[in-house]
Amino acid sequence: MSSAPELIEQFRPTYVEIDVDAFGRNVEAMQRRLGDTRLVAVVKADAYGHGAIELARRAARSNVPMIAVSLLEEALELRASGMEIPILVLGPMKEEQLRAARENDLRVGVAGPEELAAIAAIGADDFPVHLKLDSGMGRMGVTRGELPDVIRLLRRNPGIRVEAIYTHFANASDPADSFTQRQLDNFREMLDALRVAGIDAPLHHSANSAAGVRGLVSPGDYARVGIALYGAEPLDSGGFHLEPVMRWRTEIARLKTLPPGHGIGYGTTFTTKRESRIATLPVGYADGYSRALSNQADVLVCGRRAPIAGRVSMDLITIDVTDVAGAAVGDEVVLLGSQGSEAITADELASRIGTISYEVFCRVSARVPRVYRADGRISIRSKFFEHFNLSSRSQG
Ligand SMILES: *Cc1c(COP(=O)(O)O)cnc(C)c1O
């Protein structure tokens, strides 16, 4: 991490800009929408590719009660950055990892009886867990048939403190699917079965972004919100989104005029139909711009759309700027985000290749520097910083 903005000049002009202020406004907009339900900010997978340290810190400033990640490593990274906020680890862990979780004051989302038994084996006298119930998704969580096992384990191990009981929806992004209501009913029935056995928790949570936006929450619950905070659409039908946070930009590195009938790129999957101006961009699938977007997507140049021409290669992309008058070497090109009055959203890119915005964000690789804007200040994160000679420059 560096606070010197001029350092970015030493890099290839391909980077993502992260609008931390917009993220903060999104957190607060969701908090208002959730009312008495408390927002847990989900920053797993490096905050969906945006940068977990910077965004978790911003979420904490808006007084979220908890941060959720997927991996122990992700939680440890946040702890190492000085964050003392409660952190919930959602993914499954083995005994060694569970020990480390305990030592670092993390909350553990319990995936099933095996994990509960591993926690019991550690024998801590106060181990806070969030017990996950499988209300129908069939992936993580305790099934109805496993409830007796879980009840037995919890009775025998009073050191395991069930701080929360939770579940996860399979299809809350589709309001027409009644399965979400069935999952809620199943969750309530399983909670009742636990209560009859004397087991409950002060907290419950089930909602993700989609369920939160739809109001499928109860006062006092937590809601685990990810995608909405990054400005993408939580609902399949669209129609609700907050401010985009990520903007991915590069510059034209090479511009040439080619005659009609000229092939472009690997496999020559694009052939010019007229005299064409073809621009080459220093970004490719190794940076996380999917090769499936070959000949499928647009980018923005001079505030206009220009199509990808030919295959996306590992390090390069070619675009057709024949219809973008004035496009020149060094001009900014936007792959994701807005330029002028035009915008390319993660949902648009996802829809071109049959995936979801989540994957578009997560694909942006560690090779791409992140430039953070927060409160009028700029800071930069890149895994390559340490290799530059920075002796004459300030480092934060
Ligand atoms: C990722 C995740 C979330 C957040 O989902 P969004 O759709 O991004 O809001 C919530 N809960 C669990 C268990 C998750 O894994």
Side-chain angles (χ1 to χ4, degrees):
M1 183 80 164
S2 170
S3 57
E6 72 273 17
L7 285 179
I8 200 68
E9 302 299 330
Q10 300 204 6
F11 286 78
R12 188 176 58 142
T14 300
Y15 51 89
V16 295
E17 298 167 337
I18 304 296
D19 188 341
V20 181
D21 299 327
F23 179 81
R25 288 190 294 273
N26 290 349
V27 169
E28 286 156 23
M30 272 308 284
Q31 285 173 323
R32 284 192 297 276
R33 191 170 179 105
L34 289 168
D36 291 330
T37 302
R38 301 187 72 198
L39 186 151
V40 172
V42 180
V43 297
K44 63 192 177 194
D46 203 22
Y48 297 35
H50 292 64
I53 292 173
E54 293 77 8
L55 297 194
R57 201 173 281 155
R58 180 61 191 81
R61 241 178 68 192
S62 294
N63 295 317
V64 301
M66 190 173 284
I67 296 285
V69 295
S70 191
L71 312 186
L72 171 68
E73 296 89 310
E74 292 170 349
L76 296 182
E77 181 187 37
L78 293 176
R79 281 282 181 265
S81 80
M83 291 208 63
E84 288 170 3
I85 191 170
I87 299 177
L88 172 63
V89 180
L90 296 165
M93 283 187 276
K94 308 210 300 187
E95 192 172 321
E96 267 319 298
Q97 294 193 297
L98 290 164
R99 280 182 200 283
R102 179 77 200 94
E103 281 157 20
N104 288 278
D105 190 26
L106 305 174
R107 267 72 180 167
V108 171
V110 175
E114 307 88 343
E115 204 174 9
L116 203 55
I119 290 170
I122 292 172
D125 39 289
D126 181 45
F127 199 131
V129 302
H130 288 212
L131 181 66
K132 185 165 198 176
L133 304 183
D134 183 358
S135 59
M137 189 166 173
R139 191 180 64 172
M140 298 262 283
V142 175
T143 65
R144 205 176 285 251
E146 289 166 338
L147 282 180
D149 274 355
V150 164
I151 290 166
R152 216 171 304 125
L153 270 162
L154 288 173
R155 282 189 177 150
R156 268 197 222 130
N157 296 279
I160 303 177
R161 177 164 56 88
V162 184
E163 180 180 79
I165 305 178
Y166 74 113
T167 194
H168 192 47
F169 294 128
N171 204 23
S173 62
D174 179 5
D177 187 349
S178 60
F179 189 59
T180 305
Q181 188 54 51
R182 191 140 25 110
Q183 281 196 266
L184 267 175
D185 295 342
N186 289 342
F187 184 49
R188 287 192 188 120
E189 279 170 31
M190 292 175 81
L191 285 176
D192 286 342
L194 287 170
R195 276 187 199 119
V196 166
I199 293 164
D200 202 353
L203 292 170
H204 304 92
H205 44 100
S206 51
N208 53 6
S209 293
V213 166
R214 292 173 57 195
L216 298 175
V217 290
S218 313
D221 275 357
Y222 280 10
R224 308 177 306 271
V225 179
I227 197 70
L229 305 182
Y230 306 104
E233 295 280 358
L235 303 178
D236 299 345
S237 54
F240 172 93
H241 68 85
L242 299 170
E243 293 179 58
V245 175
M246 181 187 288
R247 183 175 184 271
W248 192 358
R249 57 90 73 200
T250 183
E251 288 173 11
I252 295 179
R254 178 85 177 86
L255 182 60
K256 57 178 70 172
T257 301
L258 294 173
H262 200 295
I264 309 285
Y266 286 117
T268 55
T269 60
F270 182 94
T271 302
T272 55
K273 290 176 188 58
R274 52 181 173 165
E275 184 175 271
S276 300
R277 300 208 315 143
I278 301 295
T280 304
L281 312 178
V283 59
Y285 63 74
D287 300 299
Y289 195 86
S290 175
R291 185 171 175 278
L293 290 165
S294 300
N295 293 307
Q296 298 298 318
D298 293 334
V299 299
L300 305 178
V301 195
C302 303
R304 310 257 314 267
R305 282 178 177 257
I308 305 283
R311 288 252 168 88
V312 171
S313 347
M314 187 181 291
D315 312 298
L316 298 167
I317 293 174
T318 35
I319 60 172
D320 184 348
V321 293
T322 312
D323 295 325
V324 184
V329 168
D331 280 357
E332 182 193 70
V333 177
V334 170
L335 308 173
L336 171 65
S338 61
Q339 190 189 56
S341 57
E342 269 286 358
I344 292 173
T345 64
D347 287 289
E348 173 184 335
L349 289 181
S351 72
R352 301 277 173 126
I353 57 173
T355 187
I356 50 177
S357 60
Y358 303 65
E359 191 181 3
V360 170
F361 290 139
C362 287
R363 286 183 88 103
V364 181
S365 76
R367 194 164 91 162
V368 181
R370 268 60 170 179
V371 175
Y372 297 93
R373 291 175 205 286
D375 294 328
R377 282 194 306 276
I378 293 177
S379 58
I380 304 164
R381 187 145 65 93
S382 164
K383 66 173 202 151
F384 295 120
F385 263 145
E386 57 186 301
H387 306 303
F388 283 94
N389 178 3
L390 304 174
S391 55
S392 63
R393 295 170 187 271
S394 64
Q395 262 196 92

